[in-house]
Amino acid sequence: MKVQDVQSLVEHVTGFLEGVPEHDAAAARTLCEALEEIGEILDGDSQGSDRTKVRKATVLCEQIFGGGSADPGADWAWVRATCAALAKVVVDGVAFEDAGYPGANEQKCPPTPLEAVGNPYFDAEIFMEFLDRQTEELGDLEAAILGLEGGEPDVGYLMRVFHTLKGEAALLGIDDLSKVAHAAEDMLTSEPTIDCVGRLLEVKDWLGRRFRQLAGQGPAPESADDVVAGLEATASAPNDGSAPSSDKASVEPESSGPRREVMRVDASRLDLLIENIGELVIAEAMVSQSVSQRDDVSLELAKNVDRLDKICRELQEIGLSLRMIPVRPVFRKMNRLVHDLALKSGREINFIVQGEDTELDRSVVEQISDPLVHLLRNAVDHGIEKDSIARLNTGKDMVGTISLTAYHRGGNIVIEVEDDGRGLSSDAILAEAIKKGLVTEGQVLTDSEIQHLIFAPGFSTVSTVTDVSGRGVGMDVVISSIEKLRGSIEIESSPGRRCLFRIILPLTLAIIDGMVVKVGAEQYIVPTLSVVRLVRPRQDDVTTVRNRGEMLRFEEELIPLFRLERLFDIEGARREFDESVVVVVESDNRRIGLFADDLEGQQQIVIKSLGKTIQGTPGLAGGAIMSDGNVAVILDIAGLVKVAHKEDYVRADHGALENQRGD
Amino acid sequence: MSLKTRAAPIAKAGKYLSFNLGGETYGLEILKVQEINGITDVTRVPRTPDYVLGVINLRGRVIPVIDLRAKFGMESVENTDRTCIIVVQMDREDGKATVGIVVDEVSEVLTISEDQITAAPEFGDAVDADFIIGMGKLGHEVVILLDIQKVLTGEETMVLSGLETEQ
């Protein structure tokens, strides 16, 4: 009986609505009463979802009737659509999900901002796109803000960003965003002062928080009114004249060129594509090799194979570039970091960034941020002298300079962090290392060895711990992250003048430069990054230590010598010294020699896992597919070095060896 | 002490890939088989157990290859043009693993019904029959049904972790 009641009521409502195309107060009132009745009947019903919709429609009708609706037209449309859907459910028996309630897609992420409910122009897709784009824009925005302080103010760009934001936010009904953007624009129109950099950075941070909130990923930031008030205060503050001259002419909108289209792709699909390109290249190489070995090849076939070869090579290049992104986003973050640190520590610092467009593998870019943060913190806090008079006295510029540079060198990317501050004091480091028991007194170390001591965990020569740095945790983080990226770090320092950290990284994690060595009939790959030198040993360079192992004299140092043949049980390897080759490798500043038959050359190698069952075998880093399609095993140098030193015939017998030599 | 009761899961009826190894016929659940390839050059991987023949390049992926003869303690023979690598998929705790196994010869796909399957007999200590999940009797032929997962995991992981502690 109830069901019939609802059905007839809903049918009545639908018929009524057909006669009232536009909203008006009287119609809304009638509808409101009818909906209330429907709602009451539905109250006892189990279909709570329908009930919620009806309740909301009732409220909207009430508002339209009472004049409380901000946009009666849109609300009316919503009520109409709800009634139509309700009719489908109640009369036609359609399921709630399929009825097409207008608000059914309301729950689509991101949640609709409250301000936009009832806004007829609101469109979830446009909103989403707006959020994505604006969030991305923030990086550029920050760089431009910091640019006001440096030599190249681009006020025009900033004005455009805020102007666009203002317009779009207003369209979407997110009023506080447009208010803030408007205030920021106002402030930029009046002469920008030095103050405005800090203020704009606050605005940028606020925008970031607000965007995250809108995307449903964060709490609400403070009220927009505070931000606006701050902006207005700065805008009306008297100009102290030290402002960067803003070029009014550049405020004119200029076309920023066509936007680069970007597509998000699942990373695993990308990897699969790259893997298959690699295979294609190998297969192609095999085909062209067998073609070139035949005598009866027609000109046409040769030509076609040649063409295939070119396409494959191009494909390979594209494949490799797919994962590459510029280091720019990370460098931008560093820009901000140095700016904030300099303010906090009361130093004046000129921060120079170069080579932002240098590209490297996405995963490397993501992981390089941590070590850079530590290095830059150290540069600001320990490197640059706090006392600018002291700087002047030593003949340096009052303002400290820190530079962050990226560039390609060979198959690697190099990132340098340099400061013109105090430099590293070898004496202080050595003293601290002795105190910590890392070095015994009287031990002779090279400058480079001393400098590398700073990477030991907990090492710090700074007596005062500031909230920026000095706890001694930073540098071992640096070295471990860089080793994880298969990179290395060099230090150049002249006390009192400068200090430079040079991080050398492979372009990607998947590809390394490898030296192919031959032992017996087998091929092994030594990552070139760990190779110190190749030597042809003479018999008298090699000493046997109590019949336990061999040591090689290399650069006035005795290093353990590993015969790969023995280590890996390889048959048919050479034994004689004068025909063989020793690859001296280094990891964690310790060296060992690897004794092999011959060097077959150097090539770029794609690292593959050996498969879950045998991956993790000590001394082996993975496999690589060679140009003939076969697999070669890549040596894990760090693992081998550890094994060498664990079997400790190095440290224990070091003294004994020294004595032998002395005899 | 007590009699070993072999309550190991009895093989299910269904399709099995049969292959030949040292004159005996074995069966693998067809669902675990990814593909069958002729034998190719296998790169030896040092410091792995004897039955790990090495690794091969399977269209850009490096997968380990197991010598089933060595694993079963049979003497090794020269490869012939009938020697095959059966590529199987295994479930591991950390996801799927692809492994190749070398067999003398691949025969055919058999459909084995439930009444053709009997439990694996007791062999005593002489034969480690943990990975035998049943015997299929097809006429006068007997097919040894293998749980490839058990063949390849259990002991092998033990050996590998043993290697590590050795270091």
Side-chain angles (χ1 to χ4, degrees), chain A residues 340 362 654:
Chain A
D340 288 357
R362 188 186 185 97
H654 207 85

Side-chain angles (χ1 to χ4, degrees), chain A residues 455-470:
Chain A
F455 293 118
F459 196 94
S460 177
T461 57
V462 188
S463 41
T464 50
V465 172
T466 69
D467 64 341
V468 175
S469 56

Side-chain angles (χ1 to χ4, degrees), chain A residues 304-574:
Chain A
N304 287 343
V305 167
D306 199 43
R307 197 165 145 220
L308 185 66
D309 185 56
K310 281 196 189 107
I311 296 171
C312 280
R313 239 178 273 168
E314 199 161 317
L315 251 185
Q316 194 177 23
E317 263 170 47
I318 296 170
L320 292 182
S321 71
L322 280 179
R323 289 186 59 91
M324 299 297 214
I325 57 167
V327 289
R328 184 186 304 272
V330 174
F331 275 26
R332 289 231 168 115
K333 241 169 53 191
M334 298 307 143
N335 210 341
R336 176 69 183 273
L337 177 89
V338 172
H339 171 89
D340 288 357
L341 287 178
L343 268 186
K344 214 181 208 171
S345 64
R347 289 173 170 85
E348 259 192 87
I349 288 169
N350 180 20
F351 187 55
I352 303 166
V353 175
Q354 280 166 320
E356 290 174 299
D357 287 322
T358 315
E359 287 191 333
L360 69 168
D361 194 274
R362 188 186 185 97
S363 49
V364 181
V365 172
E366 279 160 8
Q367 289 175 57
I368 193 64
S369 173
D370 265 11
L372 285 183
V373 166
H374 287 295
L375 289 176
L376 285 170
R377 271 191 192 157
N378 279 339
V380 175
D381 215 37
H382 306 320
I384 303 292
E385 300 87 341
K386 188 160 184 155
D387 185 359
S388 43
I389 306 300
R391 284 184 60 90
L392 276 179
N393 287 342
T394 51
K396 287 192 271 197
D397 198 35
M398 221 165 86
V399 178
T401 303
I402 295 178
S403 63
L404 178 62
T405 314
Y407 57 90
H408 285 287
R409 194 177 66 187
N412 296 315
I413 178 169
V414 182
I415 298 179
E416 290 178 351
V417 175
E418 184 175 9
D419 67 74
D420 65 344
R422 277 188 284 255
L424 295 176
S425 155
S426 293
D427 296 341
I429 294 170
L430 204 55
E432 178 70 17
I434 290 169
K435 213 169 83 189
K436 281 218 152 61
L438 295 168
V439 180
T440 48
E441 218 157 334
Q443 201 173 337
V444 184
L445 295 169
T446 64
D447 267 0
S448 150
E449 278 171 324
I450 293 173
Q451 285 164 358
H452 269 88
L453 285 171
I454 62 169
F455 293 118
F459 196 94
S460 177
T461 57
V462 188
S463 41
T464 50
V465 172
T466 69
D467 64 341
V468 175
S469 56
R471 284 181 203 82
V473 270
M475 293 313 260
D476 62 312
V477 172
V478 171
I479 195 99
S480 65
S481 350
I482 288 170
E483 275 182 359
K484 219 163 71 194
L485 292 168
R486 280 197 272 276
S488 61
I489 188 161
E490 292 171 3
I491 307 174
E492 271 175 31
S493 165
S494 45
R497 312 270 356 141
R498 68 191 267 268
C499 183
L500 178 139
F501 290 91
R502 182 178 295 124
I503 302 170
I504 301 160
L505 295 168
L507 277 183
T508 97
L509 287 181
I511 294 180
I512 57 162
D513 262 328
M515 284 198 182
V516 186
V517 294
K518 210 175 150 196
V519 189
E522 298 180 8
Q523 283 182 326
Y524 289 90
I525 295 162
V526 184
T528 308
L529 207 64
S530 5
V531 175
V532 180
R533 194 171 306 162
L534 295 167
V535 287
R536 287 219 183 264
R538 284 174 314 175
Q539 183 67 54
D540 50 333
D541 284 335
V542 179
T543 331
T544 315
V545 185
R546 292 182 193 157
N547 285 329
R548 278 210 300 168
E550 288 168 305
M551 304 288 286
L552 174 77
R553 186 170 303 158
F554 176 73
E555 289 182 347
E556 294 312 305
E557 187 188 356
L558 280 173
I559 60 170
L561 185 63
F562 270 130
R563 285 176 186 258
L564 288 174
E565 154 225 355
R566 271 186 220 162
L567 198 63
F568 291 162
D569 292 318
I570 302 164
E571 284 164 18
R574 282 187 200 146

Side-chain angles (χ1 to χ4, degrees), chain A residues 535-537 574-582 595-597:
Chain A
V535 287
R536 287 219 183 264
R574 282 187 200 146
R575 301 277 158 83
E576 298 75 26
F577 285 100
D578 34 351
E579 285 174 13
S580 312
V581 63
V582 169
F595 191 99
D597 284 8

Side-chain angles (χ1 to χ4, degrees), chain A residues 516 523-525 610 622-626 630-634, chain B residues 43 55:
Chain A
V516 186
Q523 283 182 326
Y524 289 90
I525 295 162
L610 285 174
I625 293 168
M626 309 301 284
N630 280 336
V631 183
V633 172
I634 306 171
Chain B
T43 304
V55 287

Side-chain angles (χ1 to χ4, degrees), chain A residues 101-213:
Chain A
Y101 275 107
N105 49 11
E106 226 175 47
Q107 300 304 321
K108 235 163 82 180
C109 62
T112 313
L114 278 176
E115 303 87 319
V117 174
N119 180 344
Y121 302 111
F122 185 78
D123 178 315
E125 221 166 279
I126 295 179
F127 172 62
M128 204 45 204
E129 207 240 49
F130 162 79
L131 265 191
D132 266 2
R133 194 156 26 82
Q134 289 296 341
T135 312
E136 250 176 62
E137 191 87 68
L138 285 179
D140 287 333
L141 182 62
E142 186 171 275
I145 295 169
L146 291 169
L148 285 177
E149 204 177 42
E152 32 191 307
D154 188 356
V155 185
Y157 167 80
L158 286 172
M159 299 275 286
R160 277 199 302 283
V161 171
F162 285 120
H163 192 79
T164 316
L165 176 64
K166 181 173 79 173
E168 291 189 0
L171 186 69
L172 286 162
I174 312 167
D175 290 336
D176 60 340
L177 279 183
S178 62
K179 252 192 276 172
V180 168
H182 179 77
E185 215 183 341
D186 269 357
M187 190 188 74
L188 284 167
T189 328
S190 65
E191 286 287 293
T193 64
I194 264 307
D195 269 2
C196 79
V197 172
R199 195 60 80 186
L200 285 172
L201 284 174
E202 274 170 33
V203 170
K204 184 246 143 194
D205 289 345
W206 183 85
L207 287 175
R209 287 197 296 276
R210 183 82 173 99
F211 290 152
R212 271 199 297 285
Q213 183 215 352

